[in-house]
Amino acid sequence: MDYRVESSETLRNKCAACYRQFNKIEHLVEHMRTSYHSAHEPTCGICKKHCRSFESLREHLIGPLPKQECRNIFSTRGCKFCLAILDSPYALRVHQDRCQLSGANAGLLGRFANLGIRDNTENGSTRGTQVVALACKMVGGGSDGSLDLCAKVCLIDEHENIIFQSYVKPLLPVTNYRYETTGIRPEYLRDAMPLRQVQKKIQDFLCNGEPMWKIRPRGGKARILVGHGLDHDLDSLQVEYPQVMIRDTAKYPPLMKTSKLSNSLKYLTQAYLGYDIQTGIQDPYEDCVATMKLYMRMRSQVHKTEAYPLASDPQNRNNFASWRQNELERMSPEQMLEASRSDYYCWCLDSRDM
């Protein structure tokens, strides 16, 4: 009899999202207050466990210590790229053929783009573009060549068409061209576009006629900017852009290795898109294509629609307030999960504004 009571109590104190168990209900409430579980977290298609990132979900399914039941099903019906569970092995084969992407065209087009400056920033065909990806290639400056200087930049639209690509003449002298990875020679930069001119072209195209102070996440003309490690790229270009308009694959929680450690773009492309990049001489166009494909894959995920999806939304700020402690302790784990909201902006929300 005592065992049943204890079992029932343990079940009541079990998180409905990550399945952690707590001795006391107040400990579960505190866990829900700080974990920010939501419908936007990567979720196991078998046991429905919520994970903080796709890396955690991958560990759960095929890591060194996976959940055995989930591993068995995933081994026959699970996509190794998007981690979805299909209805049958045949459905998996059909799905995985579509899910594994190819980078061959990206490399080929990138080589053609090397032939000269491509500037479509004022072309009428780019007027309706809402999402763009940016990547830079750096050469070295300073006495030891360790200072990153942007020497080539690429900007593409969501269909992988080049909007702008150019060599860039840095403000400081180049002391290391890093030819083995950049393929850049001194003569390429001799008559290259000056950094200030590149900065203005990119800044103007991103803002799309809107003053910086007026840019807002929804309803404006400014464009969403996609990339990997964009803080570094924007800093090297001396371009300022609001964080609310930036989608960085190095900082997006579902794509990170841990809460504070990013995955490389090379790894993300291989693991989630199924092809290799950055082999030999690297092209910024190839990086742009990879980040755009990652963004589109994350954006296309279908999650439960919520009127106010973020924990920071004013309507959600008191969901787990300390003055509601008694009320929260009377809730079931499922009710608490229903009230919980995400602490990051899920990219699936972008698709609702387009």
Side-chain angles (χ1 to χ4, degrees):
M1 184 72 175
D2 288 343
Y3 174 79
R4 285 197 300 271
V5 171
E6 184 178 309
S7 176
S8 174
E9 192 62 29
T10 303
L11 193 62
R12 171 167 165 68
N13 299 340
K14 181 179 180 180
C15 175
C18 67
Y19 301 155
R20 278 186 65 184
Q21 293 185 330
F22 300 88
N23 292 328
K24 296 182 178 180
I25 187 66
E26 54 263 40
H27 296 161
L28 173 58
V29 171
E30 184 58 30
H31 166 75
M32 294 302 295
R33 186 176 283 134
T34 58
S35 63
Y36 300 102
H37 287 309
S38 75
H40 299 281
E41 291 177 302
T43 304
C44 176
I46 303 158
C47 71
K48 307 306 177 187
K49 177 183 178 179
H50 290 224
C51 298
R52 185 62 179 172
S53 67
F54 283 103
E55 287 301 290
S56 298
L57 179 56
R58 196 181 291 275
E59 287 283 310
H60 169 79
L61 292 167
I62 54 175
L65 295 170
K67 185 176 179 184
Q68 205 57 46
E69 178 193 352
C70 297
R71 180 186 183 180
N72 292 343
I73 295 174
F74 186 83
S75 65
T76 57
R77 295 195 279 122
C79 174
K80 64 182 180 180
F81 302 114
C82 69
L83 306 182
I85 307 299
L86 285 300
D87 293 333
S88 67
Y90 173 74
L92 171 63
R93 286 195 296 275
V94 174
H95 165 88
Q96 207 155 262
D97 284 344
R98 293 197 308 266
C99 204
Q100 181 173 12
L101 303 180
S102 167
N105 289 340
L108 185 61
L109 288 171
R111 301 296 177 269
F112 282 122
N114 276 331
L115 298 176
I117 292 174
R118 298 281 293 276
D119 186 0
N120 296 315
T121 53
E122 297 176 15
N123 191 321
S125 64
T126 62
R127 203 165 289 152
T129 302
Q130 292 179 295
V131 183
V132 296
L134 173 78
C136 299
K137 279 301 164 215
M138 309 289 177
V139 291
S143 58
D144 61 353
S146 63
L147 180 66
D148 284 345
L149 304 173
C150 178
K152 191 176 183 184
V153 63
C154 183
L155 194 69
I156 69 166
D157 65 16
E158 51 200 296
H159 304 295
E160 302 170 17
N161 300 310
I162 294 174
I163 297 169
F164 177 74
Q165 179 162 274
S166 174
Y167 288 108
V168 182
K169 191 168 190 175
L171 296 175
L172 299 175
V174 178
T175 54
N176 183 355
Y177 285 87
R178 304 173 185 173
Y179 179 77
E180 295 77 13
T181 56
T182 66
I184 295 173
R185 299 181 185 276
E187 56 267 29
Y188 297 172
L189 304 186
R190 201 166 292 141
D191 299 313
M193 191 177 289
L195 177 66
R196 298 286 187 224
Q197 190 178 345
V198 172
Q199 172 204 26
K200 187 176 188 313
K201 278 188 174 290
I202 291 176
Q203 188 98 56
D204 290 350
F205 187 79
L206 292 176
C207 293
N208 197 22
E210 278 196 290
M212 191 77 71
W213 60 269
K214 199 177 178 183
I215 292 175
R216 57 194 187 279
R218 293 181 178 84
K221 294 187 293 182
R223 296 176 165 103
I224 290 172
L225 178 61
V226 177
H228 189 85
L230 277 170
D231 287 348
H232 185 49
D233 286 349
L234 293 176
D235 186 56
S236 72
L237 290 166
Q238 299 182 5
V239 169
E240 293 183 5
Y241 206 54
Q243 284 296 321
V244 292
M245 301 302 292
I246 288 176
R247 307 290 181 263
D248 195 331
T249 55
K251 289 184 172 182
Y252 189 49
L255 291 177
M256 292 181 71
K257 188 178 294 185
T258 68
S259 60
K260 295 182 180 179
L261 190 62
S262 300
N263 277 305
S264 68
L265 180 59
K266 184 180 179 73
Y267 170 79
L268 290 174
T269 305
Q270 199 279 327
Y272 297 101
L273 302 179
Y275 69 92
D276 293 315
I277 62 168
Q278 299 176 352
T279 56
I281 289 176
Q282 300 170 16
D283 196 307
Y285 176 78
E286 190 177 49
D287 291 357
C288 282
V289 169
T291 55
M292 183 62 82
K293 284 178 175 178
L294 285 165
Y295 168 76
M296 299 297 278
R297 179 153 288 182
M298 295 295 108
R299 193 180 81 177
S300 66
Q301 292 183 93
V302 180
H303 295 144
K304 176 184 172 184
T305 303
E306 297 159 327
Y308 305 102
L310 296 173
S312 57
D313 289 332
Q315 295 82 357
N316 296 322
R317 283 180 184 159
N318 290 325
N319 285 11
F320 288 90
S322 54
W323 54 265
R324 293 187 63 194
Q325 185 71 21
N326 290 337
E327 179 189 351
L328 290 165
E329 288 180 12
R330 290 194 295 271
M331 286 184 179
S332 69
E334 289 74 23
Q335 287 171 323
M336 280 190 256
L337 178 57
E338 187 69 26
S340 186
R341 291 293 183 271
S342 175
D343 62 342
Y344 65 87
Y345 180 88
C346 181
W347 293 349
C348 78
L349 301 173
D350 286 344
S351 62
R352 298 171 196 176
D353 300 322
M354 295 181 179

